Amino acid sequence: KKGSYNSQADSAGDRGKSKGGGKMNEEISSDSESESPAPRRTEEVEEEELEETAQEKKLRLAKLYLEQLRQQEDEKAEARAFEEDQVAGRLKEDVVSMEGELTQPLSAQIQAPAPADIRVLRGHQLSITCLVITPDDLAVFSAAKDCSIIKWSVESGRKLHVIPRAKKGAEGQPPGHSSHVLCMAISSDGKYLASGDRSKLILVWEAQSCRHLYTFTGHRAAVSGLAFRRGTHQLYSTSHDRSVKVWNVAENSYVETLFGHQDAVAALDALSRECCVTAGGRDGTVRVWKIPEESQLVFYGHQGSIDCIHLINEEHMVSGADDGSVALWGLSKKRPLALQREAHGLRGEPGLEQPFWVSSVAALLNTDLVATGSHSSCVRLWQCGEGFRQLDRLCDIPLVGFINSLKFSSTGDFLVAGVGQEHRLGRWWRIKEARNSVCIIPLRRVPAAPAAPAAGS
């Protein structure tokens, strides 16, 4: 009993000592704080600190430490954001541009080039039907009614590669087209080139070496339109068999088929979204195909056959028809936002005039600049008005022949035109003085006017 009593007394004494020691430590620390050169605290704060327990003090100090850490991290993040401001701004602009929300007013700066500045590349024997520009703007692929495909250097104008015509039924020959090539498309990474012909075939090539990779079969009539979805290797195709097909080029596979048009489809285009747009030819409709939902939106506005179409951004597109009209469309409205009739004027005897057919259209992505082609001896540049509700003529670029294909470079520094003696889809007329050629048209920009000096400077 005595031993236990003594141990209890000792432990009580220890508690008293520790309590007393703690009190002394607090008094010493408070004295040292009062003697420090830091500003004197108010009496209320001191009373609160004297009343707080050791646990509360630990909690308060921990919160203060965390707040300091947070401030330091905020300062570091702000410094990083300042350093990366230019990169972040550029990336944001690229994302907005891909989503089709950015429209740059570029057309007012464009100046019509002198005819002597237009470079003419000749190599095809028959009319050019289609062309594409590589994403890096260094090369152009052109195809023609002579069934050949030529890769050109933009800088030198020389032929980099020729894919010749393939003879029907001949074995052991290099792969190629044996009928008119009507359409081409190149993937946004520049890896794959696809070409479609009147023999219902789609040939896929390695764009760099022009080596044949795959042949897609499945269409029941001439393949009239091709487009890669941007940022992917998904390929959309359309045909005179009225269908739209989806392919996965990287896996060499067919995905699905969509139906809806009532006549031969004439053209197709696509951007980043999982959808494509088509020009329905004689059925008089433009359609937007939503691939995942397997649904379509139908637009009406032209009176004639709609032969060409091109997306301006993800929400707007331009189309041309053989009634001579050019239309601007928005996805939220089933009728054209703007319709320019007789866009290239009239031809024929007095009293029997007919409008020049619009055989090709092009748009510089996410800007207000549009180009149209016909056989009226010129390529015409247009400016899209505010909200795409107006189409204003900018200038004419003289070119004799059928303008069967038009493409802007990604930077907007030049426009490439595929010119032929005949229309790409038939032989209704023949312009003998025209030259079957690829024309590279430089687009010079008017320098911005210098800002007026401030008063008193």
Side-chain angles (χ1 to χ4, degrees), residues 109-319:
Q109 305 173 20
I110 298 298
Q111 191 174 24
D117 293 336
I118 300 174
R119 290 191 291 151
V120 180
L121 312 180
R122 298 195 60 191
H124 289 286
Q125 302 301 313
L126 298 177
S127 298
I128 311 297
T129 54
C130 55
L131 53 83
V132 292
I133 306 174
T134 56
D136 56 14
D137 292 342
L138 296 179
V140 174
F141 288 92
S142 63
K145 288 185 176 182
D146 61 14
C147 312
S148 67
I149 298 174
I150 300 178
K151 182 179 182 180
W152 307 86
S153 167
V154 172
E155 184 179 3
S156 66
R158 294 179 179 177
K159 297 178 187 177
L160 299 177
H161 201 282
V162 177
I163 302 173
R165 174 178 184 166
K167 294 180 181 179
K168 292 182 180 179
E171 296 182 2
Q173 63 174 350
H177 292 280
S178 59
S179 60
H180 297 178
V181 184
L182 296 181
C183 52
M184 285 195 298
I186 192 166
S187 59
S188 57
D189 61 359
K191 184 175 182 180
Y192 297 112
L193 172 74
S195 53
D197 63 18
R198 284 194 177 274
S199 299
K200 318 171 194 177
L201 299 178
I202 300 171
L203 272 58
V204 178
W205 314 83
E206 187 181 72
Q208 182 64 30
S209 63
C210 295
R211 180 172 61 92
H212 178 255
L213 299 175
Y214 317 119
T215 298
F216 291 154
T217 59
H219 281 294
R220 299 182 178 181
V223 181
S224 55
L226 290 168
F228 279 94
R229 181 184 171 200
R230 289 170 68 90
T232 73
H233 294 146
Q234 191 174 57
L235 177 67
Y236 305 124
S237 67
T238 193
S239 164
H240 291 175
D241 65 8
R242 311 179 187 182
S243 70
V244 172
K245 291 185 184 291
V246 184
W247 314 82
N248 187 326
V249 173
E251 297 178 2
N252 186 21
S253 62
Y254 158 81
V255 180
E256 62 179 318
T257 302
L258 304 173
F259 295 96
H261 277 291
Q262 303 302 309
D263 203 351
V265 188
L268 177 145
D269 196 22
L271 286 178
S272 301
R273 292 181 182 173
E274 201 169 355
C275 69
C276 62
V277 298
T278 53
R282 289 287 168 195
D283 78 356
T285 65
V286 166
R287 299 186 186 229
V288 176
W289 303 81
K290 298 182 178 180
I291 307 300
E293 296 90 344
E294 296 185 5
S295 63
Q296 55 191 283
L297 303 175
V298 186
F299 300 80
Y300 298 90
H302 291 286
Q303 301 299 315
S305 175
I306 309 172
D307 293 337
C308 46
I309 193 165
H310 203 283
L311 281 161
I312 301 171
N313 55 37
E314 296 285 8
E315 298 292 334
H316 299 90
M317 53 193 169
V318 59
S319 62

